Amino acid sequence: MPAADSISRPNAVVIGAGMGGLGAAIRLAAKGCNVIVIESADLPGGKARARPTAAGPAAMGPTVLTLRAELDELFHLCGTTTEAEVALIRLARLARHWWPDSGPLDLFPDREANIEAVRAFAGAREAQGFAAFDTATRALYDAFETPVMRAPEPDLAAIARATLRRPALWSALLPGMTLDRWLKRHFRDPRLRQLFGRYATYVGGRPGHTPAVLALVWQAEAKGVWAARDGIQSVAAALARAAERLGVRFHFATTARRIVRQSGRVSLVETDQGHHPADLVIFNGDPRALAEGHLGEAAQTALPRALGKPSLSAYVWSFAAAPSGPLAQDLIHHNLFFTADPQAEFGPIGRGRMPESPTLYLNAQDRALDPPPPLERFQIILNGPADAASPPDEDQTCHTRTFPPLARMGLTFAPDPDGLTRPSDLALRFAGSKGAIYGPSPEGVLAAFRRPVARTGLPGLYLAGGAVHPGAGVPMALLSARQAAQQALMDLTSATPSPRTAMPGGMSTAFPKTGPRPSR
């Protein structure tokens, strides 16, 4: 039963309990809204999911946690701390990288340590190139953080002013300057171009087609990476528990069917279990689901512009095994095994096929523990195309392109791994995604600036999650939650009532701006 004072509080319905939905729910509840979260799965997390194994839950989704301050703030709004709610470990090494005939190369959350690591790996010339790359990406990050990452929508005028003050940024912003082309200005060693080109895939693009400006992703990682001892899904579970103590109510195993419009704005969310009055709705899912009509006619026309092509997808192995071979003892939490032929990876992906020779990301989930257990949890990710037809021998082909190459490099597993998630599985699980992990593709000159933003064309409906501005990944999803909650609250408390801001039933827009409230 809602608390007695809830009658005067706006009703907020959040559809989706991924990171964006959880962040938005907490921010709205902390400002005094009655918040209900509708989630079709049995657990919170969205793409931050896990598969049961003999060693415990093995991650099926994101494993990298950066920009931790966003997470800390959410727990603070709930009257607690990150340390009290979830076990995080700051990693001394960001990642370890191998090539078929060389490696490893470790990267660190320290500029000088990285310069020395690159010098030892590839020589003085490449160390100088890394130093220049690091300086340039830091300038890009600083220039774009406020007008892009922390703005309701990209402020192109502010970006222009920043670049006029810093001409050194221009080379990364030239029309047609891809990440791959830009990296050639810094590195002669193709292995280093391959390594830092991977940051295009972190947002769902190919290095040869993604704008150079997205090299700034490196700086988010360089600021520090944390591992969740029990996987990123444990972070989602901790946020949900803290949100419940704040008064947020969760309805799991419940599917949102329709967003209802009345008097020109949202008024109700219908589910397969009933309906919920709504003064505002946050949709934490792929915006394409709205455009395809999954939430009804009113929401179908809410997006002001057409969505671009979907981003990359992935083939994901999640399993428990005992590793063996020369590299077994050398694994750390984040590992990358690069292909000798990048064209054999990204060429087939561009044609809608599984990569013939993929780079393999391997998360050794239990290497954050000391010592790791005999039976460890692993996740291996191969980039793949979204919205592609599944060949009849897809599982066996994927197995052949994953584990024999690792064995040749010195790493095997027992028992033989299973637990494959395919792009087609992701398409079925996440409505409107077409299997894409990162929402709209970042490929194209202005693609990164054309993502859907929080406020939609339907008054009272807002977007959050990795498929909307400012982008993909856990910290970006949390930033999107900040924007969605802020835009929604701004509209609710507008001084001049209008069809966009008036609330159903004559409810007053004045409501207390409270902090954490007692558990109900």
Side-chain angles (χ1 to χ4, degrees), residues 82-118:
T82 303
E83 291 79 6
E85 302 297 332
V86 65
L88 297 183
I89 302 166
R90 183 163 188 172
L91 300 179
R93 288 173 168 81
L94 302 179
R96 180 163 286 174
H97 309 83
W98 279 274
W99 288 261
D101 299 314
S102 60
L105 170 62
D106 289 357
L107 293 178
F108 304 86
D110 179 85
R111 173 182 165 91
E112 295 305 317
N114 287 327
I115 291 173
E116 290 308 311
V118 172

Side-chain angles (χ1 to χ4, degrees), residues 91 93-98 103-106 319 321-337 360-380 403 406-407 409-414:
L91 300 179
R93 288 173 168 81
L94 302 179
R96 180 163 286 174
H97 309 83
W98 279 274
L105 170 62
D106 289 357
F319 59 95
S324 60
L327 293 189
Q329 299 305 313
D330 294 331
L331 296 176
I332 62 173
H333 194 72
H334 297 298
N335 309 269
L336 277 154
F337 296 86
L360 304 171
Y361 164 77
L362 185 150
N363 172 233
Q365 185 172 329
D366 294 310
R367 291 300 167 108
L369 305 177
D370 188 20
L375 193 67
E376 299 183 54
R377 293 169 292 176
F378 295 96
Q379 181 193 55
I380 299 177
F403 297 104
L406 287 175
M409 294 178 75
L411 180 63
T412 59
F413 301 95

